[in-house]
Amino acid sequence: MLRTRDRARRASTLAALMVASGALLAVPSARADDGTPSDAELLGRCDNGTRKCLFHPSGDLTVFPGAAHQVGDAVYNCTDDPQTSSRTWEDTTGESNSMGVSLREEFERKFPFGPVFKLAFEQSYRHTWSSSHTESQTTILNVPAGEVGWITRAPKLQKAKGTYELIFKDRFRGHRYWYVPFEATGPADGETSVKTQHSRAMTAAERGMYCG
């Protein structure tokens, strides 16, 4: 993958000396706006002054479990017998990427590189890219006497990486071709999250708070 600072062909000379009429003259130095643009600035020009804006995925699609975290409220069993209780919960898994922006539809007008990524992703991996996925469920918890029980959910995530290729109609900052590395992680298409029940003995503080 091309690094950001190496993604464009460098100008061979910033200044040149000329001899005219026996005098030594210097060409003015490059303007400040000829400097290397940021990745965000480049991707903001996707389909906005470019002849082509393409995303080239690289490597295999990675599917992996996300971090497990508690969903729904905990259940405190203050009795001397095992108890069964239900908890209804809802949990949303979002996305993250190397640009720190969302690729959801409401952002696509401001960040037009989002649809380019989604189309290339789906064509390459035959999976749907989702910026967020919400799961809801009612779970039955079996909590032993004197213990606290809770549920955790570990979402399945998918990660893709590659490079944006921007070909400008006119030179942008001195070049027609620019390349931007990009990586994104989001909820996996069609993958089921892992739900797990947990329980442990209540602390004295919890017993005093919930069983008083």
Side-chain angles (χ1 to χ4, degrees), residues 31-52:
R31 296 177 302 173
D33 62 3
D34 288 336
T36 301
S38 67
D39 290 351
E41 185 178 0
L42 283 169
L43 292 186
R45 300 296 298 269
C46 184
D47 290 338
N48 178 26
T50 56
R51 183 165 57 85
K52 286 186 179 180

Side-chain angles (χ1 to χ4, degrees), residues 6-205:
D6 298 325
R7 59 205 162 168
R9 290 168 290 183
R10 303 291 187 182
S12 60
T13 306
L14 296 178
L17 296 177
M18 298 183 300
V19 178
S21 302
L24 188 66
L25 302 177
V27 173
S29 60
R31 296 177 302 173
D33 62 3
D34 288 336
T36 301
S38 67
D39 290 351
E41 185 178 0
L42 283 169
L43 292 186
R45 300 296 298 269
C46 184
D47 290 338
N48 178 26
T50 56
R51 183 165 57 85
K52 286 186 179 180
C53 178
L54 307 169
F55 180 75
H56 304 291
S58 63
D60 295 331
L61 176 66
T62 305
V63 178
F64 61 99
H69 55 279
Q70 181 177 333
V71 292
D73 296 328
V75 176
Y76 296 87
N77 183 359
C78 298
T79 73
D80 295 327
D81 301 302
Q83 296 291 323
T84 299
S85 182
S86 65
R87 282 291 182 268
T88 299
W89 53 267
E90 182 177 281
D91 191 49
T92 298
T93 303
E95 70 174 357
S96 61
N97 55 64
S98 53
M99 292 299 299
V101 300
S102 174
L103 301 181
R104 289 178 296 180
E105 290 183 3
E106 57 264 37
F107 287 89
E108 289 182 357
R109 181 172 299 178
K110 184 176 181 181
F111 302 108
F113 61 88
V116 173
F117 169 82
K118 291 180 181 179
L119 179 61
F121 173 88
E122 293 171 5
Q123 289 178 339
S124 295
Y125 300 115
R126 297 297 187 266
H127 279 254
T128 299
W129 181 264
S130 298
S131 294
S132 67
H133 173 72
T134 300
E135 185 175 356
S136 59
Q137 191 178 91
T138 297
T139 304
I140 304 300
L141 272 169
N142 299 303
V143 184
E147 295 195 3
V148 55
W150 70 97
I151 310 150
T152 60
R153 172 178 178 259
K156 288 292 183 66
L157 302 174
Q158 58 187 5
K159 178 183 291 185
K161 59 183 179 179
T163 304
Y164 275 93
E165 178 184 16
L166 295 97
I167 305 173
F168 284 84
K169 300 174 184 176
D170 300 310
R171 288 183 179 273
F172 179 65
R173 300 292 181 87
H175 307 284
R176 289 184 182 274
Y177 294 83
W178 289 94
Y179 301 91
V180 179
F182 186 79
E183 181 178 287
T185 299
D189 175 44
E191 296 287 344
T192 304
S193 63
V194 177
K195 276 83 67 178
T196 309
Q197 294 190 27
H198 307 266
S199 67
R200 60 167 174 78
M202 277 189 283
T203 65

